Amino acid sequence: MEASGRVTLCGFRKVLNYNNFPIKKQIEGGKNCALPTRSRDSSGRQGIAPGRPRLSPFTGDAAPMSLLRSALTVSGLTLVSRITGVIRDMLIARYFGATAATDAFYVAFRLPNMLRRLFAEGAFQQAFVPMLSDVRERNAPERTQSFLEHVFTILSLAVFAASVLGVLAAPLLVLAIAGGMRSDPEAFDLAVALTRWMFPYIAFMSLVALAASILNTMKRFAIPAATPILLNLSFIGATILLTPYFDEPIWALAAAVLIGGVLQLGAQIAALAKLGCILRPRGIRASLADADVRKVLSLMLPALFGVGVAQLSILINTNIASHLGHGAVTWLNYADRLMEFPTALLGVALGTVLLPGLSAAHARGDAERYNALLDHGLRLVVLVGIPAALGLWLTSEALVAFLFQGKNFSPADVAETARAVVGYSVGLIGLITLKIAAPAFYARKDIRTPVRIAFLSLVVVQLLNLATVPLFDQAGLALSVGLGSCVNAGSLLLILGRRGIYRPRAGWGKFLLQVAAGSLVMAVGLWFAQRGVSWTALAWPVRAAGTLGLVAGAAVVYFLVMTLFGWRLRDLRPAPEAKD
């Protein structure tokens, strides 16, 4: 009897005769997203039918990459993104400086960005990725396809409605996030107008988040990590080419946001289409009637509160900064960009790779694999996070002067931004650890615990603001955020340990000693190397060479001392994955 099976190509189905079908050809036309149906064994459990090839990332554990290699892939592309982002910020600082217009732009851009993080990249991904892993484990490929299209339908309607409401309510939103701008009606009106034009960005990025979640679950990490580069290139091009054509030059940046959104969505759609995955809208009633979609929505509700707490903290801090005078919002934004370098390179990269892996391990009931992944991720956080925090602190003036000082960004702007960088660096290890600790709960569909801890963190941040802002202005806001993140991450790790979900593996004591020794020697070296140096007084080529040399030298010293204390590169290897 000939074996045959049904194959689904994201909506396209073919019946194939596997006896006459060369595996190496896979699907006609080279599509590698075929979804063979699952059979049931004698126990009634679903699985891939015997003798049938695994042709799709949706049907099981296709060629798993190690956590380190996957994280390096994401980190490498994120590094390119951050480098282009730094070039973008260097150009914006030189073209526009730190003025009421730049404050208006960053306030306006923060609104759709805040909602993007709240709905799309925040609550949605936290609820959707574990459910997608679960649906893949439990169901046939046709069911996975319908689930994705139902989610696509509901998400598209939601973000369209949010975009329309944002455009209509722009004055109220600007008032809520930057009440201090009322003292400057011109800046307030500019912020409102910019908000109305840029708010549709949330629609583009929400659909990008859906596509990225699917690709990450399929272990295609490269495209989602690379697409932010397109936004940076859009900013760079608009700053250089479009600025002369606007009476108010800042509008060139608003155009860059929309162009970047279109480019990012186009890249994700092309990546899915290359895999043969094309999502089509379904009926609204059918989509809402899908039990798994309703489960995603029910998981999103507590996740909205959790992510919303973090975004509320950002909103409050932006509002406070708007009362600190012209330039404060911009200084804080540039400091935030520098802080995002290590946070994105390690924290976001690891979190992106960990969530699908943790979700799959939990769905299989593989507690040992789950613990090994989490432990390995935390070691990488400590390995990079502690020296990065010390390095940011000790090189804050050098980095800001090198990256941002120019015709319209003065030495005074450098000093104010550097103070905020120092504030963020105090809590950098907490900010990075949070990207690892929170997914450990999301993978288990436990959204409520991170929500409760996030609310505690919000209270801590605002209580700290009462003391830090009067003392340090915008640097106090950054310090409060950093310390609040440490409280957040530390509390989550404590709960993971108390519940027996995470058990530190052997070797942590020796590892912490190695990191401490390397970090201490590196910090002393950085302090001595900069004694008596005024970075703002140097010519830009000297600042660039000195800063890059300082950073490279610090990295060499850190890893050299670690090596002298017994650390080896092979220690980065994760524990081997258990075989079925």
Side-chain angles (χ1 to χ4, degrees), residues 230-408:
L230 298 174
L231 177 64
N232 293 330
L233 294 177
S234 177
F235 269 112
I236 292 169
T239 300
I240 296 173
L241 301 176
L242 299 184
T243 299
Y245 295 97
F246 290 95
D247 293 333
E248 175 57 72
I250 204 73
W251 280 98
L253 301 183
V257 170
L258 294 177
I259 295 170
V262 172
L263 292 175
Q264 289 181 89
L265 181 57
Q268 298 279 7
I269 291 174
L272 286 176
K274 188 176 180 180
L275 296 174
C277 297
I278 300 174
L279 300 181
R280 296 176 175 82
R282 300 280 190 106
I284 299 175
R285 289 186 179 179
S287 299
L288 290 173
D290 188 319
D292 290 317
V293 172
R294 292 200 303 271
K295 180 66 174 176
V296 171
L297 295 175
S298 67
L299 289 172
M300 278 185 67
L301 187 60
L304 279 173
F305 284 104
V307 182
V309 167
Q311 298 307 309
L312 179 59
S313 181
I314 292 173
L315 187 151
I316 293 172
N317 282 5
T318 302
N319 208 325
I320 294 172
S322 72
H323 289 274
L324 298 177
H326 291 324
V329 173
T330 302
W331 297 328
L332 202 59
N333 177 77
Y334 285 133
D336 182 73
R337 295 287 296 172
L338 271 177
M339 178 273 300
E340 282 183 353
F341 224 98
T343 304
L345 285 178
L346 183 63
V348 174
L350 275 175
T352 299
V353 174
L354 269 177
L355 183 54
L358 291 172
S359 299
H362 179 66
R364 293 194 302 264
D366 190 347
E368 182 59 32
R369 178 63 179 165
Y370 186 97
N371 188 72
L373 283 170
L374 188 55
D375 188 88
H376 187 58
L378 290 172
R379 288 183 191 240
L380 291 174
V381 166
V382 171
L383 177 69
V384 177
I386 290 178
L390 286 171
L392 267 181
W393 185 335
L394 293 168
T395 63
S396 58
E397 183 187 350
L399 287 169
V400 175
F402 159 49
L403 295 173
F404 306 129
Q405 185 179 344
K407 181 176 67 173
N408 294 312

Side-chain angles (χ1 to χ4, degrees), residues 216-227:
N216 287 334
T217 303
M218 295 162 70
K219 299 185 179 179
R220 269 48 173 199
F221 298 111
I223 294 298
T227 47

